[in-house]
Amino acid sequence: MLCLSSASPTDSKLEGKTPSLGTKLRRWCRSRRCQLWRLLLLPFIPILALIVQTTLSLKNSLTNGREVADVSRATELGKLVTRLQQERSEVAFFIFTNGSTLRSNLTQRFAATDIAVQQMGALPPLVFKNRSKPVDGSFFLAELADLRANINPGTSMTEAVEWYTNANAALLNHLTKEIKDTDSSTIWRYLVGFKNLLRSIECKGIGSVLGINYFARGYLQPRSHERYISHMVLGRDLLDNTLNLVPSLIPLHKDIKEDSPEYQVLEKKNQQIVDNKYQEGSVSDAIEYFDQTATLLDKLRAVQKQLRQYIREGVNESLTEARRSEAVCAGILVLVCVVSPIIIALVRNAVNTIQVYARNLSEKARELEYEKELSDSLLYQMLPPSVAKQLKQTQQVPAEFFASVTVYFSDIVGFTAIAAVSTPYQVISFLNSVYKLFDERIECYDVYKIETIGDSYMVASGLPVRNGNKHATEIASMALELLEATSTCRLPHRPDQTLCMRSGIHTGPCVAGIVGTMKIQISEDVKRALDKSGKFITAPRGLVDVKGKGEMMTYWLEGRTDPSPVRPTTSSLDCTPSFLARIHSKGRASPRYQPDSKREQH
């Protein structure tokens, strides 16, 4: 019979360990926020790195596109230098020939230069030689207009040529600065070659003006002779450098040397100027030299035009590549910006799902732990703690011999008569109150309650923990206190009847262990029947005193020699006996079987 008792101390201990709902909620919220931010930042870091990298690539592409676009401005600047070189040659020829217009019309030459200026747009500030401040575009154009207005046969050729030379030097210096600032490796060689070719033509043009003076006067002053040599040597070096940077121009230059008859003649005349031997001045020789030099420079400008075409093609290719790179970078950036919120939202949803699952799992774990402690508490009430722990660890609990223990037995006098005149609820309530009182009193002694069956109460001392010779005195003291406690007990439903207990104590050796090994015992007749089938394994147990039979030879049924038959598994719980199923099926098959309503209701 199961006796109910009040809540154990373990319950209050568990309740004291459980934190409040508000505390758990705050802890969970803080943990959830930390986990959420941590998991959101992890995928956002590579996304942010991709955004930064794509932004930098887009910025580089835009910068490269602007630099490549500036190359066109550099070529336009070179075209302006060419026009000024040609204008300088025509002005020098006009002044030297006292206003001759046999070669060209200065008005047309001026117009060509103006067109180049217009194509340039706004002129950059130019740094002229022997000037402290840069000259802006408007001031430069004003000086050029004044120079043109004052050109006549009596104008000093040296001053006019010097102004054009200084203007070209300023423009070439600015062109050099723009080329240095350009970071386009694909066309950088073309730009440097273009600049060097311009300087080479400039040097040869200055040298041609000095050569005109030599043939016109028959001799050059030492300073002029030195300038001629330096410009011609520098012009040749710059031309060679251009050919080294742009090898594709070498065939064009080779054609100039081989297909131009005046080239060899001009080389001989240049050698005469280098030697600077005195001869009679001849205006016709000077004009012839000028014409030959101008023709050669025009052919070099044709090479320069081809180089400008290379630059234009390189610029277009670079611009196309830059635009393509810009489009790809912009597309990636837009895609990342569009996909990033989706990824973050998905990660957030996943994090929320994981956190909800983790929270539910944590709650289930806490509930499981709570139930485990409750089950352990109940188990410790049923078994000694040491035995219960060994059983929980799936260990065997061997039987143990105790040399001396004291056992206490008690029952209620006249319990059968009391139960006969009481209801089951009254009996349960009565036994529960009595054993609750007993359980409270035995807590003060070194004893262990073995069991309560009906009105029987069994307590032992000296096991499962040995206490020397104290077991007898502990049991005796406990028995006296229980006897004293029962003298004041009254039956709730029979208050005039006093409770009487019958007790007994015995001291002696005993063996304690867990009884739980399951065996199947069979008689000798069963063994013989099973041996005939040959499908079962048995082992002799020995003579056993069987109630009502006396001593009999018995055996253990240990197993089968063949595998057990496989039974089909079913989830149905229909346990209708087979004979009822047959009757039911026959009743349905008979057409005359018509159950009446009363039977169906019954």
Side-chain angles (χ1 to χ4, degrees):
M1 183 178 296
L2 178 62
C3 297
L4 303 177
S5 62
S6 61
S8 64
T10 309
D11 299 335
S12 60
K13 186 184 299 184
L14 292 175
E15 293 176 357
K17 288 183 179 180
T18 304
S20 64
L21 180 60
T23 303
K24 293 195 293 184
L25 183 59
R26 287 192 296 270
R27 291 176 182 174
W28 179 79
C29 289
R30 286 196 299 268
S31 176
R32 182 177 182 273
R33 284 195 296 268
C34 293
Q35 288 293 111
L36 179 61
W37 283 109
R38 186 180 298 114
L39 293 178
L40 285 178
L41 287 176
L42 287 177
F44 187 72
I45 290 175
I47 293 175
L48 181 61
L50 181 59
I51 291 175
V52 172
Q53 181 181 6
T54 307
T55 304
L56 293 178
S57 300
L58 180 60
K59 180 182 177 182
N60 293 334
S61 298
L62 293 173
T63 303
N64 189 28
R66 286 194 298 268
E67 290 179 351
V68 171
D70 291 340
V71 173
S72 299
R73 181 175 175 83
T75 57
E76 295 298 330
L77 185 62
K79 186 184 295 185
L80 176 58
V81 172
T82 300
R83 295 293 180 264
L84 288 176
Q85 290 173 348
Q86 293 172 339
E87 184 174 329
R88 178 183 59 192
S89 299
E90 298 298 336
V91 168
F93 182 80
F94 178 81
I95 297 174
F96 179 74
T97 57
N98 295 322
S100 173
T101 57
L102 296 176
R103 278 186 54 86
S104 64
N105 190 337
L106 286 182
T107 303
Q108 296 177 353
R109 178 56 59 192
F110 294 160
T113 303
D114 293 339
I115 292 174
V117 173
Q118 293 176 0
Q119 292 176 349
M120 268 291 299
L123 291 175
L126 302 175
V127 180
F128 275 74
K129 186 179 180 181
N130 299 327
R131 293 193 184 184
S132 58
K133 295 181 180 180
V135 175
D136 58 9
S138 59
F139 188 80
F140 172 80
L141 295 177
E143 284 193 351
L144 179 60
D146 291 341
L147 179 63
R148 290 172 177 176
N150 296 324
I151 291 178
N152 54 67
T155 304
S156 173
M157 188 176 67
T158 302
E159 294 179 358
V161 171
E162 189 68 21
W163 189 92
Y164 281 108
T165 301
N166 291 335
N168 285 337
L171 290 171
L172 288 172
N173 288 333
H174 185 76
L175 177 61
T176 302
K177 182 178 180 300
E178 287 191 352
I179 292 176
K180 288 181 179 179
D181 294 338
T182 302
D183 193 19
S184 180
S185 59
T186 56
I187 58 176
W188 181 83
R189 293 185 298 107
Y190 292 155
L191 288 175
V192 175
F194 180 76
K195 182 257 300 182
N196 290 339
L197 186 56
L198 277 176
R199 287 188 175 274
S200 176
I201 295 174
E202 175 70 9
C203 292
K204 290 179 179 295
I206 297 173
S208 67
V209 174
L210 296 174
I212 292 173
N213 291 330
Y214 171 79
F215 287 105
R217 298 176 183 176
Y219 180 75
L220 284 179
Q221 297 294 330
R223 178 177 175 80
S224 298
H225 181 254
E226 181 181 349
R227 288 184 60 196
Y228 174 82
I229 293 176
S230 62
H231 280 92
M232 295 303 291
V233 172
L234 181 59
R236 186 182 297 110
D237 292 341
L238 290 171
L239 179 59
D240 293 340
N241 183 265
T242 300
L243 297 177
N244 291 331
L245 290 173
V246 189
S248 58
L249 298 177
I250 295 178
L252 295 177
H253 183 256
K254 185 177 181 181
D255 292 341
I256 292 174
K257 293 195 297 184
E258 293 179 355
D259 299 340
S260 300
E262 66 274 4
Y263 183 82
Q264 301 297 332
V265 177
L266 190 59
E267 286 293 318
K268 293 180 180 180
K269 292 184 178 180
N270 288 334
Q271 187 60 41
Q272 291 180 5
I273 301 173
V274 172
D275 295 339
N276 198 19
K277 293 181 179 180
Y278 181 79
Q279 62 181 15
E280 292 185 3
S282 172
V283 175
S284 60
D285 290 343
I287 294 174
E288 183 183 3
Y289 174 77
F290 180 82
D291 289 338
Q292 292 172 346
T293 304
T295 301
L296 179 61
L297 293 179
D298 289 339
K299 291 183 178 181
L300 289 178
R301 291 189 180 98
V303 177
Q304 178 185 337
K305 184 178 180 180
Q306 182 62 42
L307 181 56
R308 188 184 295 114
Q309 180 64 27
Y310 291 160
I311 294 174
R312 187 179 298 109
E313 293 175 356
V315 167
N316 294 333
E317 182 179 355
S318 298
L319 284 176
T320 303
E321 184 66 25
R323 297 295 179 266
R324 186 183 300 112
S325 178
E326 291 171 12
V328 172
C329 293
I332 294 175
L333 185 60
V334 171
L335 180 62
V336 170
C337 293
V338 171
V339 173
S340 296
I342 299 176
I343 294 177
I344 293 175
L346 292 176
V347 171
R348 182 176 181 181
N349 292 336
V351 171
N352 290 336
T353 303
I354 293 174
Q355 288 182 343
V356 170
Y357 176 77
R359 182 184 64 177
N360 294 336
L361 186 62
S362 177
E363 291 293 336
K364 295 299 181 182
R366 283 196 292 267
E367 293 177 3
L368 180 62
E369 185 66 23
Y370 180 75
E371 295 297 333
K372 178 177 177 295
E373 292 184 7
L374 288 180
S375 63
D376 289 346
S377 176
L378 180 61
L379 183 62
Y380 293 156
Q381 293 179 8
M382 298 174 62
L383 294 174
S386 59
V387 175
K389 290 179 180 179
Q390 291 181 355
L391 289 177
K392 285 173 59 178
Q393 296 172 359
T394 65
Q395 296 180 359
Q396 295 183 353
V397 182
E400 186 175 0
F401 176 76
F402 294 86
S404 179
V405 297
T406 300
V407 182
Y408 166 86
F409 300 91
S410 69
D411 60 1
I412 299 174
V413 178
F415 176 74
T416 303
I418 294 174
V421 297
S422 304
T423 64
Y425 178 77
Q426 290 174 341
V427 174
I428 293 297
S429 300
F430 161 63
L431 292 177
N432 186 57
S433 60
V434 172
Y435 292 145
K436 182 179 178 181
L437 174 64
F438 283 12
D439 290 342
E440 292 175 353
R441 297 300 176 92
I442 67 174
E443 291 289 336
C444 302
Y445 301 95
D446 183 13
V447 297
Y448 173 70
K449 185 178 73 172
I450 302 298
E451 63 179 356
T452 56
I453 301 177
D455 62 330
S456 300
Y457 196 79
M458 182 178 179
V459 181
S461 179
L463 61 81
V465 179
R466 293 176 173 82
N467 56 5
N469 297 323
K470 293 174 56 179
H471 48 84
T473 58
E474 291 290 321
I475 290 292
S477 300
M478 180 204 71
L480 293 174
E481 185 170 353
L482 293 183
L483 183 61
E484 181 182 357
T486 56
S487 62
T488 60
C489 291
R490 296 289 186 274
L491 298 178
H493 57 288
R494 300 174 66 87
D496 56 339
Q497 185 174 353
T498 304
L499 179 66
C500 296
M501 295 294 297
R502 184 169 40 235
S503 304
I505 302 175
H506 178 69
T507 298
C510 75
V511 175
I514 299 298
V515 179
T517 304
M518 291 182 295
K519 293 282 188 176
I520 302 175
Q521 178 180 264
I522 60 176
S523 65
E524 190 172 7
D525 294 337
V526 176
K527 177 184 180 302
R528 285 194 294 269
L530 295 178
D531 289 342
K532 292 179 181 180
S533 66
K535 297 181 179 180
F536 297 91
I537 301 173
T538 60
R541 181 185 182 185
L543 293 174
V544 176
D545 187 4
V546 180
K547 186 176 181 180
K549 295 290 185 178
E551 289 188 350
M552 293 180 62
M553 186 64 182
T554 59
Y555 298 86
W556 295 117
L557 176 59
E558 295 184 345
R560 300 174 61 97
T561 58
D562 57 342
S564 300
V566 179
R567 306 296 183 187
T569 58
T570 177
S571 59
S572 174
L573 298 179
D574 188 7
C575 299
T576 305
S578 59
F579 71 92
L580 290 180
R582 289 195 299 270
I583 295 175
H584 186 62
S585 61
K586 289 180 179 180
R588 288 187 175 181
S590 175
R592 291 177 296 177
Y593 176 73
Q594 297 291 340
D596 56 14
S597 59
K598 292 183 179 180
R599 290 182 179 178
E600 290 179 354
Q601 292 176 359
H602 178 71

Coordinates of all heavy atoms in Angstrom, one line a residue, residues 12 36 253 331 377 384 456 501 515 554 557 579:
S12 N 11.7 22.4 -1.5 CA 12.0 23.8 -1.2 C 13.3 24.2 -1.6 O 13.6 25.4 -2.0 CB 11.8 24.0 0.4 OG 12.7 23.1 1.0
L36 N 22.8 38.3 -31.1 CA 22.3 38.9 -32.4 C 23.3 39.8 -33.0 O 23.6 39.7 -34.2 CB 21.0 39.6 -32.1 CG 20.3 40.3 -33.3 CD1 20.0 39.3 -34.3 CD2 19.1 41.1 -32.9
H253 N 60.7 56.9 -89.9 CA 61.9 57.7 -89.9 C 62.9 57.2 -90.9 O 63.6 57.9 -91.6 CB 62.5 57.7 -88.5 CG 63.7 58.6 -88.4 ND1 65.0 58.1 -88.4 CD2 63.8 59.9 -88.4 CE1 65.8 59.0 -88.3 NE2 65.2 60.2 -88.3
G331 N 28.0 48.1 -60.9 CA 27.1 47.0 -60.8 C 27.3 46.1 -59.6 O 26.4 45.7 -58.9
S377 N 15.2 12.6 -5.6 CA 14.7 12.7 -4.3 C 13.8 11.5 -3.9 O 13.9 11.0 -2.8 CB 14.0 14.0 -4.1 OG 13.4 14.1 -2.8
P384 N 18.6 3.5 -0.2 CA 19.7 4.3 0.3 C 20.4 5.1 -0.7 O 20.6 4.6 -1.9 CB 20.6 3.2 1.0 CG 19.7 2.0 1.2 CD 18.7 2.1 0.1
S456 N 2.1 -2.5 8.4 CA 3.4 -2.9 8.9 C 4.5 -1.8 8.6 O 4.4 -1.2 7.6 CB 3.9 -4.2 8.2 OG 3.0 -5.3 8.5
M501 N -0.1 -0.1 19.0 CA 1.0 -0.6 18.1 C 1.6 -1.9 18.7 O 1.8 -2.0 20.0 CB 2.1 0.4 17.9 CG 1.6 1.7 17.2 SD 1.1 1.3 15.5 CE 2.6 0.8 14.8
V515 N 17.4 -7.1 -5.2 CA 16.8 -8.3 -5.7 C 16.1 -7.8 -7.0 O 15.2 -7.0 -7.0 CB 15.7 -8.9 -4.8 CG1 15.0 -10.1 -5.4 CG2 16.4 -9.3 -3.5
T554 N 14.2 -28.5 -10.0 CA 13.8 -27.4 -10.9 C 15.0 -27.0 -11.8 O 16.2 -27.3 -11.5 CB 13.4 -26.2 -10.1 OG1 14.4 -25.7 -9.3 CG2 12.1 -26.5 -9.2
L557 N 15.1 -21.7 -17.4 CA 14.9 -21.6 -18.9 C 15.7 -20.4 -19.3 O 15.4 -19.2 -19.0 CB 13.4 -21.4 -19.2 CG 13.1 -21.2 -20.7 CD1 13.6 -22.3 -21.6 CD2 11.6 -20.9 -20.9
F579 N -11.9 -15.7 -30.9 CA -13.3 -16.3 -31.0 C -14.3 -15.2 -31.1 O -15.3 -15.4 -31.8 CB -13.5 -17.2 -29.8 CG -13.7 -16.5 -28.5 CD1 -15.0 -16.1 -28.0 CD2 -12.6 -16.2 -27.7 CE1 -15.2 -15.5 -26.8 CE2 -12.8 -15.5 -26.5 CZ -14.1 -15.1 -26.1

